[in-house]
Amino acid sequence: MKETAPDDRTRALETAHDAALRFLDSVAERPVWPRASLDEMLTAFGGPLPEHGVDAAAVVEEMSVLADPGLVAIPGGRFFGFVIGGTHPAALAADWLVSTWDQNSGSSTLTPATVAMERIAGQWMLEAFGLPATASVGFVTGGQLANFTCLAAARHSVLARAGWDIAEQGFHGSPPLRFVVGTHRHGSIDRAARFLGIGRAELTIVPTDGQGRMSPEALDQALVGAEGPLIVCLQAGEVHTGAFDDFAALIPLARRHGAWIHVDGAFGLWAAASPGLSHLTAGMADADSWATDAHKTLNVPYDCGIAIVRDPADSIAAFRTGGDYLIYSGLDPWDVTPELSRRARGVPAWAALRSLGRSGIAELIDRLHANAVAMAAGLRTVESVEVINDVDYTQVMFRLGSDEATRALGAAILVDGTAAMTGAEWEGRAALRCSMSSWATTPEDIVRTVEAIRGLVAAGSPAG
Ligand SMILES: *Cc1c(COP(=O)(O)O)cnc(C)c1O
């Protein structure tokens, strides 16, 4: 190993600082979609393992130059693909310190500063969402792992109530567990179920309406005769339409059958933090667990997902570990998530929440919603564009007259580079979707995007 002199480190950090600012300064005008392919990036970074090292600053400079054409302008204002937030300045700077401090944040005893920041961030989020202050909050990589973490606690709890200890007895031979989901659930629910030993054919799938909301009548029907271990997954924010399940109608139905009720609110849970949008989540606080992301709506850097469980005893039962060398001090982060060693990924969430305050959080969410409304209104002025969804939250889905034209427009937008958005299938037809998830998006960004689309539609087949 090469000796690292202190000024090597200083130069490396200064080089990274310069490269970071160069990148951030470029996002407003660079093409949003990457210009280089994965193969080109593999060639740029590849070759055999170098025989000899170079100094740290040279490494950082080399990577920043080589990576540049392969970077996507996610932190800019015109990336609307998938559901992906930008990075709030306080969260970004805090994230630099997370790596600098290098605190292995699974244990309260080892790393009190970062564990305290995460615990407070968790309490602030519970407060903002109107969820019980005594719930457990686990910081995981994202919504996928948050869903898994909550559902592992759910599985443990519903089986324990049926007299079965899954930690001791395993899943084989347990009482049958019914797992109920909506047609328009996120794919990460199926994947979480799979990790938990629940196969696709075992899911009870409840029909949803034209926006992707679970129908109360259909849930009622699906639960006829349901006794014993039962988990019902609801959703705050359908990934294409942004639609919210009617929690006030659905949760009491599921309760009547003794279900554990889980809410996937990867980006939708944040609606609860806005007085203007919290009607969307009415009744949601009566569930048993909630999954969300900070790297989407709160705009912290990747990765930061949050698993919230009403009764901490359920998450502890699912996750507390042993090991004679581990130090226990009450509730440790590793007691409520599947991970042991990890970075202090909740610290940037603390910084974003501290920087925004309650009113700033509400304003951020209201602005994302207003951006979606403005984007939908702009798109409706473009010939042959049809906005498909009710724009109740942050998602806008649209199409042209034919699937072919819609897909061609999607490809043309990425080549054009003014903005980026991604496609989907909705009720058997091709669609394009804009997710308004970035704090950095301005009204001008929306106008530029709409005008770019108008030009591309005019240049393509005008009949759509
Ligand atoms: C994004 C998303 C997920 C998965 O979250 P990751 O952070 O990508 O792991 C789950 N559910 C919904 C509704 C989502 O939008």
Side-chain angles (χ1 to χ4, degrees):
M1 216 178 100
K2 209 165 162 291
E3 276 288 308
T4 303
D7 50 303
D8 216 14
R9 180 170 67 199
T10 303
R11 282 189 303 114
L13 288 172
E14 283 169 359
T15 305
H17 181 247
D18 291 346
L21 293 179
R22 247 185 354 251
F23 174 66
L24 291 176
D25 287 344
S26 80
V27 293
E29 295 309 325
R30 69 160 54 219
V32 178
W33 204 248
R35 285 152 287 150
S37 67
L38 173 62
D39 281 343
E40 287 165 336
M41 285 289 100
L42 288 168
T43 304
F45 286 106
L49 174 63
E51 187 57 38
H52 301 291
V54 291
D55 78 35
V59 171
V60 175
E61 184 59 23
E62 180 181 326
M63 69 178 242
S64 82
V65 170
L66 292 178
D68 193 73
L71 295 174
V72 50
I74 288 174
R78 293 186 307 282
F79 182 90
F80 307 119
F82 309 98
V83 181
I84 288 187
T87 301
H88 194 267
L92 171 59
D95 199 61
W96 285 8
L97 283 186
V98 169
S99 291
T100 306
W101 292 340
D102 198 21
Q103 305 287 288
N104 182 348
S105 297
S107 156
S108 314
T109 310
L110 180 64
T111 55
T114 54
V115 170
M117 290 173 81
E118 290 193 343
R119 198 175 287 179
I120 299 302
Q123 286 171 9
W124 285 348
M125 281 189 267
L126 294 175
E127 209 180 315
F129 299 149
L131 298 181
T134 49
S136 73
V137 179
F139 283 93
V140 290
T141 51
Q144 169 72 75
L145 257 288
N147 279 325
F148 167 78
T149 302
C150 291
L151 291 170
R155 183 183 64 163
H156 186 102
S157 172
V158 296
L159 288 176
R161 278 186 258 154
W164 187 270
D165 179 354
I166 194 165
E168 193 59 36
Q169 297 166 276
F171 204 22
H172 261 299
S174 73
L177 188 160
R178 183 136 30 144
F179 194 83
V180 180
V181 298
T183 306
H184 279 287
R185 67 199 176 279
H186 191 267
S188 60
I189 293 289
D190 298 47
R191 224 157 148 236
R194 199 203 305 170
F195 301 162
L196 290 164
I198 301 160
R200 209 172 298 138
E202 295 178 284
L203 306 181
T204 300
I205 301 172
V206 179
T208 43
D209 68 12
Q211 298 292 316
R213 286 178 291 244
M214 189 184 280
S215 138
E217 294 72 33
L219 178 65
D220 203 22
Q221 282 253 305
L223 295 181
V224 169
E227 304 164 31
L230 173 67
I231 297 172
V232 174
C233 288
L234 304 179
Q235 184 164 257
E238 202 280 336
V239 75
H240 303 314
T241 64
F244 289 69
D245 281 334
D246 181 351
F247 303 108
L250 296 166
I251 291 180
L253 287 177
R255 273 276 170 262
R256 225 174 285 155
H257 295 271
W260 176 291
I261 299 143
H262 172 66
V263 176
D264 176 5
F267 62 101
L269 218 60
W270 294 89
S274 152
L277 292 169
S278 60
H279 61 275
L280 296 169
T281 59
M284 179 189 77
D286 292 330
D288 299 293
S289 59
W290 305 264
T292 194
D293 269 324
H295 58 220
K296 291 180 176 173
T297 312
L298 186 62
N299 280 259
V300 310
Y302 287 91
D303 47 41
C304 193
I306 298 121
I308 304 169
V309 175
R310 173 180 295 278
D311 185 347
D314 291 322
S315 26
I316 292 166
F319 290 110
R320 179 164 277 173
T321 177
D324 58 8
Y325 68 101
L326 301 177
I327 314 162
Y328 284 99
S329 56
L331 190 67
D332 285 312
W334 59 37
D335 285 332
V336 296
T337 74
E339 290 178 277
L340 215 48
S341 294
R342 66 169 177 85
R343 70 191 271 101
R345 61 169 66 92
V347 166
W350 183 90
L353 296 167
R354 177 69 187 89
S355 162
L356 291 164
R358 183 189 284 279
S359 62
I361 299 164
E363 276 161 26
L364 168 64
I365 295 151
D366 290 347
R367 188 147 47 86
L368 300 180
H369 170 58
N371 287 344
V373 170
M375 180 67 89
L379 288 170
R380 284 194 189 98
T381 69
V382 177
E383 196 193 333
S384 71
V385 165
E386 179 200 354
V387 174
I388 305 165
N389 65 314
D390 298 339
V391 184
D392 294 335
Y393 191 47
T394 56
Q395 307 299 97
V396 182
M397 185 165 52
F398 67 101
R399 65 185 167 213
L400 299 182
S402 71
D403 287 358
E404 207 187 354
T406 304
R407 292 200 187 101
L409 175 63
I413 290 168
L414 301 186
V415 173
D416 171 74
T418 304
M421 52 193 72
T422 46
E425 287 271 317
W426 185 255
E427 298 189 331
R429 292 190 56 189
L432 288 170
R433 40 194 300 296
C434 298
S435 177
M436 311 310 279
S437 301
S438 176
W439 73 284
T441 301
T442 62
E444 296 74 54
D445 285 321
I446 293 166
V447 171
R448 268 180 77 172
T449 302
V450 169
E451 292 319 311
I453 290 174
R454 195 190 312 283
L456 292 168
V457 170
S461 148

